[in-house]
Amino acid sequence: QNVTQTVEEEKPEPPTIQEIKEKIEKYNAKVTNCLLMKLNDDGTYTGFIKVHLKLRRPVTVPAGIRPQSIYDALKEVNLADMTDKRTSFYLPLDAIKQLHISSTTTVSEVIQGLLKKFMVVDNPQKFALFKEMRKDGQVLFQKLPLTEYPLYLRLLAGPDTDVLSFVLKENETGEVEWDAFSIPELQNFLMILDKEEKDKIQQVQRKYEKFKQRLQQTLKEARGKPG
């Protein structure tokens, strides 16, 4: 059972550099895949997080653009800016993306980084990062504020993703700022909603058609019985 928590937890006092060092040592001692955290001289640290993409709706990507090459990534070439043509695309459900981030990297920057890697040109406000936890047989989702630091949460929870994992989902909580979207995007939303409506209608029709056939078959069998 999935449960979404909306109550924000109280944040403790910021840890000292010595406390961070001790936490990183304990964290690295539990790592089994070489994805260690590294403490910098200034007290910041770097490490890895994995983000599960659980997007139910299509995203907008550039049309006719080749996949990003290593050269493009090193030169920070944004292929999405090279064309005005757009198309809709379903990202693979439950795809996982590994990110190397800093302790100063915010949730907002993680979302923008993920969209850039997949060349998604949709407004980042359409997406939200959740932390997923398991407790008493339930799967709990809590939406993270844009100013939260995911790597610190990873450090506190340890490397076990069964204890804590990150999930990118549609931002369906709160009021949607429709003015932030362009006319082509709004038109695309209408097309998607129209398609979803037709699919739902067909599903209901097929459900009741099967039920109707079973009733007719039962009546036919009953009429053939004596008495």
Side-chain angles (χ1 to χ4, degrees):
Q1 182 180 1
N2 294 340
V3 179
T4 301
Q5 292 181 332
T6 56
V7 179
E8 292 188 6
E9 300 175 356
E10 293 184 3
K11 292 185 179 181
E13 291 294 325
T16 63
I17 295 180
Q18 182 59 33
E19 290 173 337
I20 288 293
K21 181 179 179 181
E22 293 174 358
K23 290 181 184 296
I24 290 178
E25 290 175 350
K26 292 180 180 179
Y27 181 95
N28 288 341
K30 299 178 182 178
V31 171
T32 58
N33 53 11
C34 298
L35 301 180
L36 303 174
M37 289 199 186
K38 180 181 178 182
L39 180 65
N40 302 318
D41 295 335
D42 59 0
T44 62
Y45 50 97
T46 58
F48 297 86
I49 64 169
K50 291 182 179 180
V51 181
H52 295 249
L53 277 65
K54 295 186 178 180
L55 302 177
R56 299 290 179 177
R57 298 182 182 277
V59 295
T60 305
V61 296
I65 291 293
R66 58 180 171 80
Q68 190 177 42
S69 66
I70 296 177
Y71 173 82
D72 294 331
L74 293 175
K75 295 296 183 179
E76 296 186 350
V77 175
N78 190 354
L79 297 177
D81 293 337
M82 298 174 64
T83 179
D84 293 329
K85 297 181 180 180
R86 300 289 183 258
T87 186
S88 296
F89 174 75
Y90 278 94
L91 287 174
L93 190 62
D94 286 338
I96 300 176
K97 188 65 179 179
Q98 186 169 277
L99 299 175
H100 184 254
I101 62 174
S102 165
S103 57
T104 60
T105 304
T106 63
V107 165
S108 176
E109 291 170 331
V110 167
I111 294 175
Q112 293 179 41
L114 285 169
L115 298 183
K116 184 177 180 180
K117 285 182 179 295
F118 286 96
M119 292 192 294
V120 175
V121 296
D122 291 307
N123 193 309
Q125 294 178 354
K126 294 167 59 178
F127 307 92
L129 192 67
F130 291 76
K131 65 177 182 179
E132 178 182 330
M133 301 160 290
R134 290 172 174 80
K135 183 178 180 182
D136 300 330
Q138 291 184 328
V139 179
L140 307 176
F141 289 93
Q142 181 176 353
K143 181 182 174 181
L144 297 174
L146 295 177
T147 55
E148 183 63 89
Y149 302 107
L151 192 60
Y152 181 62
L153 298 179
R154 180 79 278 160
L155 177 63
L156 294 180
D160 189 354
T161 54
D162 288 336
V163 176
L164 171 71
S165 58
F166 297 102
V167 179
L168 183 72
K169 302 171 67 176
E170 283 86 0
N171 186 13
E172 296 180 346
T173 58
E175 190 68 25
V176 179
E177 297 181 6
W178 296 110
D179 293 340
F181 300 100
S182 65
I183 292 179
E185 285 180 320
L186 294 174
Q187 292 174 336
N188 193 39
F189 294 158
L190 290 175
M191 292 175 60
I192 293 171
L193 289 173
D194 184 60
K195 181 180 182 300
E196 289 183 349
E197 181 183 18
K198 291 179 180 178
D199 290 343
K200 289 293 183 182
I201 291 174
Q202 291 178 356
Q203 289 176 12
V204 173
Q205 288 176 336
R206 286 194 297 266
K207 174 184 175 181
Y208 284 96
E209 183 62 29
K210 290 181 179 179
F211 186 56
K212 180 181 177 180
Q213 291 175 359
R214 286 198 297 267
L215 284 176
Q216 290 174 339
Q217 182 64 29
T218 302
L219 285 172
K220 183 179 180 180
E221 294 174 353
R223 287 170 181 162
K225 294 180 181 179

